[in-house]
Amino acid sequence: MASWHWKWAQELYLHLPDGHGELATAGLLIAAMLVIVYFLLNFWSVKLFAHSNTAITIFKLVVPAATGVALIVSGFIREISLSVFTARPMRLISRQC
C-alpha cells in the first residue's frame, strides 16, 4: 500500500532510512482488525461446515438403512412379492400392449 497514490494509504506505512519500513499505528490497528475479522469468518465457516457435515452424514446413514428396511419388509408381504417380483408369461404381456 505504500506505493498507492492515495495519501491515506501512504500514511499507514512508515518508510525508514535504511530502505525498509513498518506499519504506522493506524496501519497496525487496521491489520489487527483484519486478523480478527478473518479469524471470526474462519471460525464461523468451520462451525457451519461441522453442522452441515453432521446433517449430511446422518442423511447418508438413514436413507440407505431405511431403503434396506423397506426392501426387507416388502419381501415379507405376500401381495407385493407376488405382483412385483413374479415373472409373467410373454403371451400375457403381449396382449396388454
Side-chain angles (χ1 to χ4, degrees), residues 11 62 96:
E11 292 174 354
V62 168
Q96 291 176 355

Side-chain angles (χ1 to χ4, degrees), residues 2-95:
S3 63
W4 287 5
H5 301 291
W6 298 290
K7 185 174 170 68
W8 63 268
Q10 292 177 357
E11 292 174 354
L12 297 175
Y13 186 78
L14 300 174
H15 294 280
L16 298 177
D18 61 353
H20 295 90
E22 59 185 33
L23 289 175
T25 304
L28 284 172
L29 291 175
I30 291 173
M33 286 190 311
L34 285 174
V35 166
I36 291 170
V37 167
Y38 287 137
F39 169 78
L40 291 174
L41 181 68
N42 189 28
F43 178 77
W44 291 326
S45 299
V46 168
K47 198 172 183 180
L48 176 67
F49 176 73
H51 289 298
S52 64
N53 191 27
T54 301
I56 290 169
T57 301
I58 290 172
F59 180 79
K60 286 174 69 173
L61 290 173
V62 168
V63 169
T67 303
V69 169
L71 288 173
I72 291 170
V73 169
S74 69
F76 292 112
I77 299 174
R78 188 81 175 144
E79 296 83 23
I80 294 176
S81 65
L82 287 177
S83 63
V84 176
F85 299 115
T86 303
R88 300 177 84 184
M90 283 301 290
R91 58 187 158 100
L92 292 177
I93 294 173
S94 61
R95 287 183 191 167

